[in-house]
Amino acid sequence: AIDYDRNGGFWLGHYNGGAVFYYHSYGDSLPGIILSCDLLATNPSFTVTDIIVDDNYLWIGIEAGGLVRYTFESGQVKKYFDGTSERFVFDLYRDRKGNIWSCDYSGVKLYIETDEDFRGYYHNQQESYSLRPNVQGIFQDFQGNYYTYHNGIGVFVSYLDRGFQLFNESDRFYWHLTNQNISSICEDAEGNLWMGGFNGGINIFEWQTGRMIRHTASDNVPNRLGRGSVLAIYRDRNNE
């Protein structure tokens, strides 16, 4: 896991690495800061699942160890969800307003800064527009809508305060997927939505034309996606 601060430095977490490292630049051969397992009050060989840095805090998702908030000014460490059934944090997300979201097997959670705590959103069988189970991550588009993508279900869209609406492989939806097991989601410079499949392939929904473009995966075909899960889609600083 990796994230960058405003000064161009970056924080790096590893699988079974036992620490979180900060490098001031790519040219550094050694880290400038090391956050050890003792400081973070976790097991010696912990795995970092995701990292987000903002002006005040470093947020660290730890496999089966909940979420850690490290305060830069004081060096204080605060832990969330450790020792509970919600400790399996695997994805962190910062939305367009700077809000921090956490994803685990129980649902998604929004950090409320005034409370220094999280508000949870979960699946409720009694509510048709509640969050669905098996969430993989959350994403916000340029219009402010929130998307959650799920293992084996598809994509749910929350149009601001209207609840979640499902999009999956069913052609009864004008916008439908070729793979309902979605593992990544991103937005390009024109606002088009890119969705990567755990079983391979990418779906692109073009907002202006209403077209769905599908890039399927195949072996040994030039200029085509290879087979394998699309676990991340990233828009770089050149908007490419």
Side-chain angles (χ1 to χ4, degrees):
I2 188 171
D3 198 19
Y4 300 83
D5 63 19
R6 294 181 183 273
N7 300 316
F10 60 96
W11 291 88
L12 192 63
H14 298 271
Y15 178 82
N16 287 341
V20 177
F21 304 93
Y22 177 74
Y23 294 84
H24 294 283
S25 71
Y26 285 113
D28 291 350
S29 58
L30 295 174
I33 302 173
I34 299 176
L35 305 182
S36 67
C37 60
D38 293 332
L39 177 64
L40 300 178
T42 189
N43 68 79
S45 59
F46 69 91
T47 291
V48 176
T49 56
D50 208 352
I51 285 178
I52 283 184
V53 58
D54 59 28
D55 291 336
N56 300 312
Y57 306 117
L58 177 68
W59 298 91
I60 308 167
I62 296 178
E63 185 178 60
L67 180 62
V68 173
R69 188 192 71 182
Y70 175 77
T71 304
F72 292 124
E73 184 175 354
S74 65
Q76 181 186 25
V77 171
K78 184 171 183 178
K79 303 189 75 173
Y80 296 89
F81 319 127
D82 188 28
T84 73
S85 60
E86 299 174 314
R87 68 187 183 276
F88 299 97
V89 175
F90 51 78
D91 186 63
L92 301 174
Y93 180 71
R94 180 175 49 239
D95 67 21
R96 291 178 173 269
K97 294 182 179 180
N99 298 316
I100 300 297
W101 296 79
S102 170
C103 298
D104 60 64
Y105 294 126
S106 69
V108 300
K109 298 172 179 63
L110 171 65
Y111 179 68
I112 308 299
E113 188 169 3
T114 54
D115 299 335
E116 292 195 3
D117 208 346
F118 284 82
R119 176 188 300 157
Y121 296 86
Y122 308 96
H123 175 57
N124 185 340
Q125 292 183 338
Q126 307 303 317
E127 297 180 8
S128 58
Y129 289 103
S130 71
L131 183 72
R132 293 305 187 266
N134 302 321
V135 63
Q136 295 281 83
I138 188 168
F139 176 81
Q140 185 185 33
D141 68 15
F142 72 101
Q143 301 178 76
N145 303 312
Y146 289 96
Y147 300 76
T148 56
Y149 45 100
H150 300 254
N151 182 357
I153 299 178
V155 173
F156 284 82
V157 184
S158 175
Y159 297 103
L160 300 181
D161 296 327
R162 299 184 215 166
F164 287 91
Q165 178 182 349
L166 170 66
F167 292 94
N168 60 18
E169 294 174 310
S170 173
D171 58 10
R172 69 187 179 90
F173 300 115
Y174 174 73
W175 174 36
H176 57 279
L177 308 172
T178 56
N179 184 346
Q180 65 183 11
N181 193 347
I182 299 298
S183 52
S184 58
I185 190 167
C186 187
E187 188 178 47
D188 66 23
E190 285 73 40
N192 303 317
L193 204 62
W194 294 56
M195 291 159 288
F198 185 81
N199 297 321
I202 293 176
N203 292 280
I204 306 172
F205 183 73
E206 290 189 335
W207 288 109
Q208 293 184 348
T209 65
R211 291 193 308 153
M212 176 65 81
I213 301 172
R214 297 174 174 86
H215 296 283
T216 57
S218 59
D219 290 330
N220 302 320
V221 179
N223 302 319
R224 292 280 295 275
L225 284 173
R227 295 192 183 277
S229 301
V230 181
L231 299 179
I233 303 175
Y234 180 73
R235 188 178 74 191
D236 64 21
R237 293 180 183 271
N238 296 322
N239 281 328
E240 296 179 345

